[in-house]
Amino acid sequence: MEPLEAIELFQRAAKMIEVASEAIEEIGRIVEELGYLALAITLAGSYVSMTPRLSSDIGRYLPEYRQRRKELLQRRPRQHVHRYGASVLSTWESSFEAIAKQNPAAARLLSLLAFVNFEDIFMSLFNGVDHDACADGLEHVTGESKATGTVQPKWRLYLSGEGQWTLYDLESALGTLQNYSLLQWRSDQRSYAMHKLVHAWGHDRLEAEEQRPLSGLALELVADATSQEEVDPSQRLRLVPHVIACFGAFSRVDLSPGEVGRDDLAMIDRIGDFLYRNGRWSETCEIRVFHFTQVEAILGKEHPNTLTSMNNLALVLGSQGKYEEAEQIHRQALSSCESELGKKHRLTLTSMNNLALVLRSQGKYEEAEEIHRQALALSESELGKKHRLTLTSMNNLALVLRSQGKYEEAEQIHRQELALSESELGKKHPDTLTSMNNLAVVLRSQGKYEEAEEIHRQALALSESELGKKHRLTLTSMNNLALVLRRQGKLSSMINLALVLRSQGKYEEAEQIHRQELALSESELGKKHPDTLTSMSNLAGVLGSLGRYEEAEEIYREALALRESVLGQKHSDTLTGVYCLTYLLHQKKQYKDAELLYQRGGAGYRKTPGDRHPTTTACLRHYSLMLEEENGMEN
């Protein structure tokens, strides 16, 4: 039904015709939860009409429904309420019985689909390759390879009934479910969808002892899909809701700490990495907490796998801006690594680097520098100067030196690390390209714009040719090049502001690159990914430099709203967004609006990352300047 029709039907069935607007809003949430299915809405309304505690307070219905969903959907309607004599669930149960006799594989597929997301069920979810690529003579979508003898994943064995499972079997099973209206084909998305209540029924009809193994099979299904070497960016984004749904179903199964199998833990670790790469830090944190709890219960607090899980949990907490909590866990992990594995073990050195990184994020530069120097010295003595962990330590040390304004030493270390990366890994290796970008950034910080531009252009060309235009490193190179072009434009315009707007320096090229990079980020990572939001802010920055303040403000505000929803109001990236918007309002001489934001940004920066952080001091400095300007205008 349409939403308004569904609300009206519920009101009639519940005998709640004249109600307040708040109750109408709550009924809207109820009918949405019921998937706008007429029979379910009628039954729910009828139940409310017979239950005074619900009809007097409709807000109580949804919490009860979520706890007793299966029981409430099994209720049979009274004949005078609805023409059907069956409950919602019994009508589908009859269909399921018919499907199980006609096509057992379709029945098994329906049960498995209850553990993935109910929308956008696309073909390559089941085989890791594009559907069109399967059509050319593919014999086995799944199953054991005759050439290699590769063992089938368990989810394939389940669907095939221990036999062969082909593309045509999959299409037949999906077709059967579609014939019984348990799946719908959406031609615009080229995928199937399942009604929300059908999806819930498919899960609830299973006993607990059936739900546990099926949730593991679904987890394996999506883990396999995320592990494909060549996954189209748009498909990777389509996988995210399925990964989240699968982990949610798996984690809700009644499992005590230590009961999860090691294979399942390995898959949980893989999907955690997948969500982390896609900027879904909140969901990644849930996965990391679950993984750590289980691993610790199985292997103990001091096991290397437990310590690795601790580090991964702390890393995602740091990404969320929860620096103090991340620092505490990193310190615990480092202490355990040193006592159990020794100071020279690779995991200990990794823990040292991770702790130093979160200290740097908080502006604790001296301690971060000290730890990075210790880690670098140990890496060089134990692993050699050319080892990748040593190169990582060099890079991290240079970054913290740059944060302190020690540009010359940072540049020297970046040059050494780049030379070693080129000799050991080659000029086209992603780590080498990262080193090139880092060197160019520190050159830009010193005003060596021409050399910085040259290196950024080399890095961008190599990234595009080796990794492709949509790779994250390519996007970073595009962004960095645009920033240095923008900075060069600023230098040429310092003499006369009017010349900036007339000649524009290199702003036009910078804007073009920022727009390209933003478009690619949105398609590759999604509009809410933190890297995409940074791209939006960078574009707004160059537009502000061009004097296109209205356009810049619109983009800044959109990016800030998205950061607040994705990262929260206290995250350092969100505060950076506040600062950027504030400074733009300052430039527009909208002093009152800017003052409120300056106060918010300054207070936030003082707390995290701290008074000594460069952005904190910059925010406070610009606030003071704005007050002077405002007072000067008043005088």
Side-chain angles (χ1 to χ4, degrees):
M1 304 187 75
E2 293 298 319
L4 291 177
E5 294 175 323
I7 291 171
E8 184 180 348
L9 175 61
F10 184 94
Q11 286 183 266
R12 288 202 308 269
K15 300 177 181 178
M16 298 175 61
I17 304 302
E18 295 183 4
V19 293
S21 59
E22 293 83 0
I24 295 293
E25 291 177 4
E26 185 63 25
I27 291 172
R29 286 187 281 270
I30 292 171
V31 296
E32 181 183 8
E33 185 86 4
L34 296 172
Y36 305 109
L37 188 69
L39 178 55
I41 293 166
T42 303
L43 290 170
S46 175
Y47 176 62
V48 168
S49 72
M50 295 183 294
T51 313
R53 61 181 171 81
L54 297 177
S55 57
S56 61
D57 184 3
I58 193 62
R60 294 182 176 184
Y61 179 81
L62 269 183
E64 181 174 338
Y65 168 79
R66 287 165 181 162
Q67 287 184 342
R68 302 172 56 218
R69 181 174 62 195
K70 184 176 181 179
E71 179 184 344
L72 292 177
L73 292 177
Q74 281 178 329
R75 293 177 62 87
R76 290 180 176 273
R78 296 176 298 172
Q79 291 299 318
H80 69 277
V81 173
H82 201 278
R83 70 178 184 274
Y84 293 121
S87 71
V88 173
L89 298 191
S90 60
T91 56
W92 292 327
E93 199 64 44
S94 299
S95 297
F96 184 83
E97 291 173 3
I99 290 169
K101 292 178 182 178
Q102 176 185 337
N103 188 340
R108 291 191 292 271
L109 177 60
L110 181 67
S111 295
L112 189 64
L113 291 178
F115 294 86
V116 301
N117 192 272
F118 58 90
E119 295 184 298
D120 194 24
I121 302 168
F122 51 98
M123 291 290 287
S124 50
L125 177 65
F126 299 94
N127 49 43
V129 295
D130 185 73
H131 179 212
D132 295 333
C134 297
D136 188 16
L138 179 69
E139 293 184 0
H140 295 82
V141 172
T142 60
E144 183 174 335
S145 169
K146 295 179 181 179
T148 63
T150 305
V151 177
Q152 302 183 64
K154 294 176 183 177
W155 67 267
R156 298 178 181 178
L157 287 170
Y158 170 74
L159 288 178
S160 66
E162 305 292 331
Q164 184 178 354
W165 179 253
T166 68
L167 169 65
Y168 310 110
D169 294 324
L170 174 63
E171 290 176 334
S172 174
L174 290 168
T176 299
L177 296 178
Q178 186 178 7
N179 287 340
Y180 280 85
S181 298
L182 298 178
L183 280 182
Q184 294 82 42
W185 172 254
R186 292 182 174 175
S187 57
D188 57 333
Q189 294 183 342
R190 296 189 60 77
S191 66
Y192 292 92
M194 184 182 291
H195 189 278
K196 194 173 185 178
L197 282 191
V198 174
H199 186 263
W201 158 75
H203 178 275
D204 292 345
R205 68 177 302 278
L206 300 167
E207 300 297 331
E209 55 269 21
E210 295 176 289
Q211 291 179 6
R212 182 178 298 186
L214 274 169
S215 66
L217 294 175
L219 190 69
E220 185 187 38
L221 168 72
V222 297
D224 282 356
T226 62
S227 300
Q228 298 298 320
E229 291 184 2
E230 296 183 4
V231 179
D232 182 82
S234 60
Q235 180 175 309
R236 188 162 59 246
L237 291 175
R238 294 174 77 180
L239 283 170
V240 168
H242 293 294
V243 171
I244 294 170
C246 275
F247 174 73
F250 184 88
S251 61
R252 284 192 297 271
V253 173
D254 187 18
L255 291 170
S256 301
E259 286 190 30
V260 179
R262 296 196 182 192
D263 288 345
D264 288 336
L265 285 173
M267 289 187 293
I268 289 169
D269 194 37
R270 280 158 55 192
I271 66 170
D273 288 342
F274 173 79
L275 290 178
Y276 187 80
R277 291 193 303 271
N278 282 277
R280 302 298 293 261
W281 292 329
S282 178
E283 293 88 351
T284 305
C285 191
E286 291 181 31
I287 291 175
R288 294 304 189 204
V289 169
F290 182 88
H291 186 272
F292 171 66
T293 303
Q294 293 291 336
V295 170
E296 184 183 40
I298 296 169
L299 302 175
K301 291 184 177 182
E302 312 301 336
H303 192 279
N305 289 358
T306 307
L307 299 176
T308 299
S309 186
M310 284 183 73
N311 269 297
N312 288 337
L313 172 57
L315 285 172
V316 74
L317 287 170
S319 296
Q320 290 181 287
K322 300 176 181 177
Y323 300 122
E324 293 179 0
E325 190 177 353
E327 178 185 342
Q328 182 182 358
I329 295 174
H330 275 313
R331 288 191 186 278
Q332 291 174 4
L334 177 57
S335 177
S336 296
C337 284
E338 288 179 339
S339 62
E340 294 298 315
L341 306 173
K343 289 191 174 183
K344 299 178 180 180
H345 193 277
R346 293 186 188 184
L347 186 54
T348 306
L349 298 176
T350 300
S351 296
M352 291 178 71
N353 273 299
N354 289 339
L355 172 58
L357 288 173
V358 79
L359 290 171
R360 174 182 160 227
S361 297
Q362 298 175 82
K364 300 177 181 179
Y365 298 125
E366 288 86 354
E367 187 179 2
E369 179 185 342
E370 181 183 351
I371 295 173
H372 277 315
R373 288 191 187 278
Q374 291 175 9
L376 176 57
L378 288 168
S379 292
E380 286 181 341
S381 64
E382 290 302 306
L383 306 173
K385 287 191 173 183
K386 298 179 179 180
H387 193 277
R388 290 183 71 176
L389 188 54
T390 305
L391 298 178
T392 298
S393 295
M394 291 180 71
N395 177 67
N396 290 338
L397 174 58
L399 290 175
V400 77
L401 290 170
R402 191 179 83 199
S403 297
Q404 298 175 85
K406 300 177 181 180
Y407 299 126
E408 292 183 1
E409 187 179 1
E411 178 187 343
Q412 181 184 1
I413 295 173
H414 275 314
R415 288 190 187 278
Q416 292 174 3
E417 194 251 337
L418 175 58
L420 289 168
S421 291
E422 287 180 343
S423 65
E424 288 302 302
L425 306 174
K427 287 190 174 184
K428 299 177 180 180
H429 192 278
D431 288 358
T432 306
L433 299 176
T434 299
S435 300
M436 292 178 69
N437 273 300
N438 288 336
L439 173 58
V441 169
V442 79
L443 290 170
R444 188 181 81 207
S445 300
Q446 298 175 82
K448 300 178 181 179
Y449 298 119
E450 292 183 1
E451 186 179 1
E453 180 183 346
E454 181 182 353
I455 295 174
H456 277 317
R457 288 191 186 277
Q458 290 175 10
L460 177 57
L462 288 169
S463 292
E464 287 183 341
S465 63
E466 292 302 309
L467 306 174
K469 287 190 174 183
K470 295 183 178 181
H471 193 277
R472 287 180 69 179
L473 193 52
T474 306
L475 300 178
T476 299
S477 297
M478 292 179 71
N479 176 63
N480 287 336
L481 174 58
L483 287 174
V484 78
L485 291 171
R486 174 184 167 196
R487 194 59 178 269
Q488 285 177 281
K490 278 189 174 179
L491 279 181
S492 66
S493 68
M494 288 177 66
I495 300 173
N496 192 327
L497 180 59
L499 291 177
V500 176
L501 301 175
R502 195 171 69 187
S503 64
Q504 298 183 353
K506 293 188 176 181
Y507 288 141
E508 289 184 345
E509 186 179 2
E511 179 190 351
Q512 181 183 4
I513 293 172
H514 274 316
R515 288 194 184 277
Q516 291 174 1
E517 194 258 341
L518 175 58
L520 289 169
S521 288
E522 287 182 346
S523 64
E524 171 78 5
L525 305 172
K527 192 156 188 177
K528 293 184 178 181
H529 192 285
D531 289 358
T532 305
L533 301 180
T534 299
S535 300
M536 291 178 69
S537 290
N538 289 335
L539 173 59
V542 78
L543 291 172
S545 298
L546 287 163
R548 289 152 62 181
Y549 295 130
E550 299 303 324
E551 189 177 356
E553 181 180 345
E554 183 180 351
I555 296 173
Y556 271 141
R557 289 191 182 279
E558 183 182 2
L560 177 58
L562 287 169
R563 277 175 166 153
E564 288 176 335
S565 66
V566 173
L567 303 173
Q569 292 193 346
K570 297 180 181 180
H571 194 279
S572 59
D573 286 1
T574 305
L575 295 174
T576 299
V578 171
Y579 171 50
C580 290
L581 174 59
T582 305
Y583 187 62
L584 181 74
L585 294 174
H586 176 177
Q587 289 177 300
K588 293 175 68 179
K589 302 189 184 307
Q590 295 178 209
Y591 294 125
K592 290 186 177 180
D593 292 338
E595 183 174 356
L596 294 174
L597 287 174
Y598 268 134
Q599 290 173 353
R600 174 186 166 184
Y605 276 128
R606 280 195 176 105
K607 186 173 182 181
T608 302
D611 285 330
R612 300 174 66 187
H613 196 278
T615 317
T616 307
T617 57
C619 183
L620 296 175
R621 183 174 68 253
H622 283 133
Y623 181 39
S624 298
L625 289 172
M626 187 197 74
L627 292 177
E628 290 178 9
E629 289 178 20
E630 188 177 12
N631 290 332
M633 290 184 66
E634 290 176 355
N635 293 332

